Amino acid sequence: MAESFDIFAGWCPHGHFRKEFVTEILAPIWGITSTAAIRYIEDRQPQIQSTLEYVEVGRSTIRRPPKTLGNTESDQNSNFVDTNYALRLMESAGVCISQNEPTLLVGETGCGKTTLIQRLAFLSGHELVVQNLSLQTDSTDLLGGYRPLEIRHIARAVYTDFVQLFCSSFSKSQNSQFLDYVTAAYEKGQWKRLSQCFQRAAKMGRDKMKKQQKQDSASTMSSDIWFEFKRTSERFEKQRVACDTGLAFVFTEGALVEAIRTGKW
């Protein structure tokens, strides 16, 4: 009944039309009284249940992203109150999300549209990107566009990925000199030397992953992450050369494109 109500009457902003739909159509189909049908639609309280792989809000089921599997910790400091009305809205939105249905929440400023989705994103372990639109919002803000290349900005992103990836694959203490060398090149703006370090690290990482896979066929570690970093280092080298030879531009992804690529909401 709740599913039918959301599909055929959930869009209607007028409460008396929704009640008329429940009493004249839904109640006779389900063979219950109009009072019982209205009470079910307006007073029911969907339950929130979390498991290792998904979260359920009433009849909706939202899978957790792989990086958060097994994390069912609740936010004890949340200011969000799970009222019956809020839970029913979360349930309806959750069904749309699980079915990949485009959803438009309509309401006055400050009525809780964004907060509702933020609550769902938190419960399911997804990262939510909130983009405020205005008359000054351009398509490049959502889709991206070409902008003048700032080599330090690009280097910072590659350097951050490098440190995280290298420390997860190699001993930090045994390679402290190499890490210090890379850090010094980054801080001093020695981009050619930094690029050479990135390419060297990419080769080291791929060789180590392949060696571990040969020694242990059951190993879950893959050289794909280092192969991806190799492509990143090669792209950084091309951008560095372009900056040295003159004015260069780089395509910067917009918020929408980045969210689709990384699996964010």
Side-chain angles (χ1 to χ4, degrees):
M1 182 183 295
E3 195 83 20
S4 300
F5 177 82
D6 283 347
I7 293 174
F8 296 106
W11 58 271
C12 183
H14 305 292
H16 63 281
F17 286 149
R18 295 197 298 268
K19 286 186 177 181
E20 184 178 351
F21 175 77
V22 173
T23 56
E24 296 187 6
I25 298 179
L26 291 185
I29 292 177
W30 264 264
I32 59 178
T33 64
S34 300
T35 303
I38 292 177
R39 184 182 302 113
Y40 173 78
I41 293 297
E42 296 184 349
D43 297 337
R44 64 191 181 86
Q45 182 177 8
Q47 300 298 315
I48 298 177
Q49 297 182 355
S50 296
T51 67
L52 297 178
E53 297 184 354
Y54 56 85
V55 61
E56 292 183 348
V57 182
R59 68 182 189 277
S60 66
T61 301
I62 304 175
R63 293 192 61 84
R64 297 179 181 274
K67 62 181 180 180
T68 61
L69 288 180
N71 181 18
T72 58
E73 182 181 358
S74 61
D75 185 6
Q76 299 296 332
N77 299 321
S78 174
N79 295 323
F80 190 91
V81 179
D82 293 326
T83 62
N84 293 1
Y85 181 74
L87 287 171
R88 290 195 297 271
L89 282 179
M90 289 170 58
E91 178 188 50
S92 300
V95 172
C96 294
I97 292 172
S98 62
Q99 299 298 324
N100 292 324
E101 285 286 341
T103 307
L104 176 64
L105 300 181
V106 181
E108 297 292 337
T109 301
C111 68
K113 303 182 295 296
T114 302
T115 304
L116 186 82
I117 303 302
Q118 287 175 332
R119 178 63 173 170
L120 272 177
F122 171 79
L123 291 174
S124 60
H126 288 82
E127 184 176 351
L128 178 66
V129 178
V130 179
Q131 183 74 22
N132 296 319
L133 304 181
S134 65
L135 295 177
Q136 287 73 37
T137 302
D138 190 74
S139 60
T140 56
D141 297 327
L142 298 176
L143 303 178
Y146 284 95
R147 298 177 182 177
L149 176 62
E150 297 181 7
I151 191 63
R152 179 170 289 276
H153 176 74
I154 301 298
R156 184 188 303 115
V158 181
Y159 173 77
T160 302
D161 293 341
F162 159 76
V163 172
Q164 295 177 351
L165 184 57
F166 190 87
C167 292
S168 64
S169 303
F170 297 92
S171 172
K172 187 175 181 179
S173 58
Q174 295 179 1
N175 297 276
S176 59
Q177 291 184 349
F178 179 66
L179 288 173
D180 292 341
Y181 184 80
V182 176
T183 302
Y186 168 72
E187 293 178 347
K188 295 179 181 179
Q190 299 172 337
W191 309 128
K192 182 176 181 180
R193 181 179 299 177
L194 183 64
S195 177
Q196 293 173 347
C197 292
F198 288 157
Q199 296 181 47
R200 177 186 173 189
K203 184 178 184 304
M204 292 169 55
R206 293 184 63 195
D207 292 343
K208 182 176 181 180
M209 295 301 104
K210 290 180 179 179
K211 183 177 180 181
Q212 288 185 351
Q213 288 178 346
K214 289 181 180 179
Q215 294 176 351
D216 184 9
S217 58
S219 175
T220 57
M221 300 187 68
S222 173
S223 60
D224 292 344
I225 52 177
W226 278 107
F227 179 77
E228 182 64 26
F229 182 77
K230 178 178 180 294
R231 295 175 57 185
T232 301
S233 64
E234 292 174 348
R235 183 166 57 250
F236 175 75
E237 172 62 15
K238 293 179 180 179
Q239 293 169 338
R240 181 195 68 79
V241 173
C243 284
D244 290 343
T245 56
L247 183 62
F249 290 83
V250 61
F251 182 83
T252 303
E253 293 180 344
L256 178 60
V257 174
E258 181 183 0
I260 295 174
R261 180 176 58 82
T262 58
K264 299 176 183 178
W265 281 9

